[in-house]
Amino acid sequence: METALKDLVGLSRDALAAEMKAMGAEPFRARQVWHWIYNRGATDIAAMTTLSKSFRADLAQRYRVGRPAVARALTSVDGTRKWLLRFPDGQEVECVHIPEEDRGTLCVSSQVGCTLTCKFCHTGTQRLVRNLTPGEIVGQVMLARDRLGDWSGGLAPQGAPEAGGAPKEGGRLITNVVMMGMGEPLYNFEAVRDALLIVADNEGIGISKRRITLSTSGVVPNIARAGAEIGVMLAISLHAVRDELRNELVPLNRKYPIKELLDACRNYPGLTNAKRITFEYVMLKGVNDSLADAKALVKLLKGIPAKINLIPFNPWPGSRYECSEWEQIEKFSEYVFSAGYSSPVRTPRGRDILAACGQLKSATEKLSARERMALRAMAMTD
Ligand code: SAH
Ligand code: SF4
């Protein structure tokens, strides 16, 4: 029975080696299997042709190479793709691909829902159902590679790729991974770590740690741990420069206030001008978007190799905030830029498919089809 088979996706290299050893296979077999799974994207054990037929048959009796099921797939007018993924227990998360000229970014989820309750975030209104497993996290990257036709070695992806746009000059469609989907990655530390080490493995998915970003709302004790055990780029959801306001927007701030958070950032290993921490700052009209806030922000980050990422607030049904006026975002951005920070304003992508954090899932759960269409129509005229 297929459900009795153990999924190989998400096992660390060592765990995979142990499984293969238990089957009596030579150590290099584990390496070959790893290559088929993570470099070639094979999901059919029978297609792993560098392995002997009898070994493949043995493997197929015990294991499978799984993928999350796609409950819904949407493509935005700007090419952004969003998949609502469903796991065997019926739980769902989102995964978003954002194609740009010189890169393709995949936004990956770490939990079903979130225990934190940031006031501007839709995921924060959904109660946490559970942590994702390493296989479910790395599986998002693999599913996206399938759908985009983005595996190396020309192995036909499972199912027809939805891909338009071929990769540029042999480039890849997924060049960057950001842990910015649903959930707080540092509250699912081990699974996120194990998954990201597979994503970064250069004999596996092979996306360099410099191109993987973990975004946290500020789980201070796990920031140092992330530096030591994962070593990817860090993004901090700052959003406010005073504790009073941040307590309200990001309630975790009551536990880990701004000063402690920034101290943890200063100690993050390997920071240089070429390897900076990204500070995310969602622009909320009349709440955190004044020029005084911009000045305080620059002062606060002094001495930390930092990038500032201004995010236009993406409203959702029932949200209590509005996005700042465009001129205000520009003013804010100009100040920050003149102080020496590059401050790209994150272009809203995929608004017509509600591509921001947690929005598709909630929309499909809570809205009628008509409301959903109205909302999409609204977002499209933005
Ligand atoms: N839990 C992590 C990662 C997921 S959220 C974190 O909070 O960092 C990824 C980013 O999207 C965070 O910076 C978050 O603050 C931001 N975000 C959430 N809801 C948003 C919204 N409606 N509009 C704009 N940005 C939002
Ligand atoms: Fe959770 Fe991040 Fe949303 Fe806050 S912003 S509720 S930490 S997913």
Side-chain angles (χ1 to χ4, degrees):
M1 231 173 69
E2 179 151 344
T3 46
L5 299 176
K6 183 169 181 179
D7 201 331
L8 290 175
V9 174
L11 293 181
S12 66
R13 257 177 186 273
D14 287 350
L16 181 69
E19 296 279 340
M20 298 298 104
K21 195 172 170 203
M23 286 180 68
E26 301 281 336
F28 76 95
R29 292 287 176 215
R31 214 166 147 183
Q32 287 177 314
V33 172
W34 181 269
H35 183 84
W36 278 109
I37 296 175
Y38 295 115
N39 188 272
R40 305 288 299 273
T43 53
D44 179 4
I45 290 173
M48 300 181 178
T49 48
T50 53
L51 307 172
S52 72
K53 252 194 165 149
S54 65
F55 184 53
R56 277 181 263 162
D58 283 354
L59 275 178
Q61 279 196 342
R62 296 169 208 223
Y63 302 107
R64 65 196 187 98
V65 182
R67 291 289 190 268
V70 177
R72 245 180 118 191
L74 297 174
T75 304
S76 160
V77 284
D78 66 18
T80 301
R81 282 203 179 78
K82 177 161 182 156
W83 298 284
L84 182 64
L85 305 178
R86 186 175 295 152
F87 301 114
D89 64 354
Q91 297 303 334
E92 295 175 339
V93 296
E94 296 167 5
C95 177
V96 177
H97 180 255
I98 304 156
E100 288 170 283
E101 272 293 300
D102 57 341
R103 71 176 71 187
T105 304
L106 192 72
C107 180
V108 170
S109 295
S110 57
Q111 299 181 307
V112 181
C114 187
T115 50
L116 301 172
T117 50
C118 302
K119 291 291 170 303
F120 50 85
C121 171
H122 209 185
T123 305
T125 66
Q126 303 163 21
R127 71 188 179 90
L128 173 85
V129 182
R130 65 173 175 85
N131 281 331
L132 297 186
T133 64
E136 289 168 340
I137 297 170
V138 76
Q140 295 171 56
V141 182
M142 301 173 81
L143 184 277
R145 278 222 160 136
D146 290 349
R147 290 295 178 121
L148 296 166
D150 194 34
W151 289 107
S152 70
L155 193 83
Q158 301 297 304
E162 290 160 24
K168 285 203 169 73
E169 295 169 28
R172 304 295 288 262
L173 289 167
I174 301 174
T175 57
N176 294 57
V177 167
V178 294
M179 295 299 307
M180 292 187 187
M182 301 169 72
E184 168 49 58
L186 293 188
Y187 274 150
N188 184 14
F189 189 88
E190 283 87 3
V192 167
R193 174 196 59 203
D194 293 355
L196 291 183
L197 293 179
I198 295 174
V199 173
D201 187 294
N202 58 15
E203 288 179 34
I205 293 180
I207 296 174
S208 112
K209 288 183 181 180
R210 303 286 296 266
R211 290 175 169 271
I212 302 174
T213 302
L214 186 155
S215 174
T216 179
S217 56
V219 185
V220 166
N222 283 349
I223 289 178
R225 223 185 139 193
E229 298 180 34
I230 316 179
V232 295
M233 306 296 282
L234 190 64
I236 302 287
S237 294
L238 190 63
H239 307 319
V241 290
R242 290 173 288 113
D243 279 322
E244 197 194 0
L245 178 61
R246 195 163 189 273
N247 283 345
E248 196 186 312
L249 297 177
V250 183
L252 185 65
N253 194 69
R254 293 184 198 136
K255 200 164 178 190
Y256 305 117
I258 295 176
K259 185 180 174 316
E260 284 180 31
L261 176 58
L262 294 184
D263 283 346
C265 290
R266 280 191 190 89
N267 293 327
Y268 196 71
L271 291 184
T272 62
N273 269 345
K275 195 180 167 210
R276 300 170 196 231
I277 294 181
T278 299
F279 288 88
E280 296 161 280
Y281 197 95
V282 63
M283 299 298 291
L284 303 171
K285 185 175 177 177
V287 174
N288 65 355
D289 63 350
S290 72
L291 219 48
D293 287 307
K295 287 180 186 166
L297 177 62
V298 165
K299 223 169 142 187
L300 204 58
L301 299 185
K302 208 164 172 219
I304 305 176
K307 282 187 274 198
I308 296 168
N309 198 344
L310 302 179
I311 314 172
F313 171 62
N314 206 346
W316 35 275
S319 60
R320 63 176 90 174
Y321 301 106
E322 284 176 77
C323 182
S324 307
E325 301 291 345
W326 197 250
E327 298 89 86
Q328 193 58 28
I329 297 180
E330 277 186 337
K331 271 191 208 151
F332 198 107
S333 160
E334 271 161 25
Y335 181 83
V336 166
F337 182 76
S338 69
Y341 291 96
S342 88
S343 60
V345 179
R346 199 189 286 169
T347 331
R349 296 294 299 264
R351 281 209 163 179
D352 54 328
I353 56 167
L354 294 171
C357 189
Q359 294 194 353
L360 172 65
K361 185 169 172 229
S362 315
T364 57
E365 272 172 4
K366 299 202 183 106
L367 300 181
S368 70
R370 232 177 109 198
E371 286 169 317
R372 221 160 42 226
M373 270 169 62
L375 200 71
R376 283 178 61 181
M378 238 159 60
M380 268 187 258
T381 57
D382 260 12

